[in-house]
Amino acid sequence: FTSGTSGAPKGAVLTFGNHFYGAMASAYRIGVLPHDRWLAPLPLYHVGGLAVVLRSCLYTTTVVLPPTHDAAAISRALDAQAVTLVSLVPTMLGRLLDQRADQPPPPHLRLVLLGGAAAAPELLARADAAGWPVATTYGLTEAASQVATMTPEDVRAKPGSVGKPLLLTRVRIADADGRDLPAGQYGEIVVSGPTVMRGYLDEPDARALRAGELYTGDIGYVDADGDLWPVQRRSDLIVSGGENIYPTEVEAALRAHPDVLDVCVVGAPSEEWGQQVAAAVVLRPGAALSADELTGFARASLAGYKLPRMIRFVEALPQTASGKIQRAAGAALFEQPKA
């Protein structure tokens, strides 16, 4: 089942062939070594965790399952279990870096496969400065996990990109009519190849699968080098007064404030504008920051129409079991009257 970050989870019908070609293409991009030990802190009932198990079975390498999924347990497993690969989402990586603030990555760790959500350039820069070998990846349940992956060496040059499609996978950017868009233009990410699902369980979706192609519902673009840059889910796009606003851009501007630990930006209903930008913000321990101060800070990097009109400070952001921000639950925070 999909993780349901933007709505109800759907069951993706995946075949052995989907997983086999996914495992082969992943190995071709990031390599497989006989002594590999892959730490899987992601839930095994979502594709990010399931793929680790199935691929390790196909590779005949080792899977390491931590007793819990908190940063302390992941950190201990990395050291004690001689882990060489680990799959994380950005939230997990940020917590792990906090947990190991005074510790370098273990010497046997060769790769951190980072996916599930867009990684902020600040997080990638922090990980790189601490010596963590992060490979950014874009994937989805409907394509048996990985679609495109960028190696750590290339991530340093292009933080935010996920690189080129994996072996036998094709990615193109399409407009609203399904036509190809040139490099640099935003559109829907369309995926084809042997990893694409057969369809949704008990829920035919003519729009998602068309002529053998998977219309992902994700917005992104491909640069002149052919590298993919995912932006976000189309359903997360905020349209305020006819202007398109990408929550990830606003989140990056707010997250740059030193007192902000994490943030979730959504579109709240507005009678005047259709939608208005709303932000749920988690502050760092001991920080004291007002909404006006945060808005003033963001004004230096955001156009006026992109600034949050509503800011709510919360203890934690709603997340799925796989550690991704649950935007639908985040939007619900602004549908309730303030206490």
Side-chain angles (χ1 to χ4, degrees):
F1 277 80
T2 62
S3 58
T5 53
S6 299
K10 296 180 179 180
V13 180
L14 296 170
T15 67
F16 173 81
N18 293 148
H19 286 294
F20 177 83
Y21 282 106
M24 181 179 68
S26 177
Y28 192 83
R29 180 62 51 87
I30 66 176
V32 176
L33 299 176
H35 66 276
D36 271 340
R37 298 171 62 85
W38 201 329
L39 180 65
L42 302 175
L44 302 186
Y45 51 81
H46 286 316
V47 76
L50 178 64
V52 174
V53 176
L54 294 178
R55 290 174 183 182
S56 297
C57 288
L58 289 167
Y59 303 152
T60 66
T61 54
T62 300
V63 180
V64 177
L65 300 177
T68 63
H69 298 163
D70 61 90
I74 294 172
S75 179
R76 287 192 297 269
L78 287 172
D79 291 322
Q81 298 290 339
V83 168
T84 59
L85 300 102
V86 60
S87 293
L88 300 173
V89 297
T91 303
M92 287 179 167
L93 177 60
R95 291 173 180 171
L96 182 62
L97 293 177
D98 290 338
Q99 177 72 29
R100 299 179 66 100
D102 300 323
Q103 294 177 269
H108 36 71
L109 182 70
R110 70 176 183 85
L111 196 78
V112 177
L113 192 62
L114 187 68
E122 295 81 7
L123 176 64
L124 296 174
R126 182 185 172 198
D128 183 54
W132 291 82
V134 174
T136 51
T137 188
Y138 167 75
L140 60 165
T141 307
E142 293 91 335
S145 193
Q146 280 169 272
V147 168
T149 301
M150 178 170 269
T151 61
E153 296 75 19
D154 292 328
V155 168
R156 298 185 188 104
K158 287 186 178 182
S161 174
V162 294
K164 295 175 175 58
L166 299 190
L167 182 69
L168 303 180
T169 293
R170 179 174 179 261
V171 170
R172 67 184 185 93
I173 306 300
D175 64 14
D177 296 319
R179 295 173 299 204
D180 286 353
L181 288 171
Q185 286 197 22
Y186 283 20
E188 184 169 6
I189 300 172
V190 180
V191 178
S192 57
T195 65
V196 171
M197 67 173 183
R198 286 186 173 179
Y200 289 116
L201 181 66
D202 299 328
E203 189 178 343
D205 191 330
R207 191 190 185 287
L209 286 175
R210 284 183 262 168
E213 292 185 306
L214 173 66
Y215 284 72
T216 66
D218 292 331
I219 296 173
Y221 67 94
V222 173
D223 65 21
D225 297 324
D227 292 321
L228 176 63
W229 296 74
V231 178
Q232 65 184 66
R233 296 288 298 174
R234 181 181 297 277
S235 58
D236 295 336
L237 183 70
I238 300 170
V239 182
S240 181
E243 297 283 358
N244 289 345
I245 302 169
Y246 297 95
T248 51
E249 180 186 2
V250 182
E251 288 168 351
L254 299 178
R255 201 179 283 117
H257 193 288
D259 288 340
V260 172
L261 181 62
D262 209 351
V263 59
C264 173
V265 169
V266 297
S270 167
E271 291 187 7
E272 183 177 5
W273 302 104
Q275 286 182 306
Q276 58 184 348
V277 180
V281 178
V282 179
L283 295 179
R284 296 190 180 277
L289 183 67
S290 71
D292 288 342
E293 289 171 334
L294 183 55
T295 301
F297 173 83
R299 195 178 299 276
S301 56
L302 291 175
Y305 68 91
K306 299 179 182 179
L307 291 171
R309 301 299 187 234
M310 303 169 66
I311 293 179
R312 178 169 292 184
F313 295 102
V314 297
E315 294 295 323
L317 297 177
Q319 296 180 356
T320 66
S322 55
K324 295 190 284 187
I325 300 299
Q326 226 293 1
R327 288 192 186 275
L333 293 173
F334 297 94
E335 296 173 359
Q336 304 167 359
K338 293 183 179 180

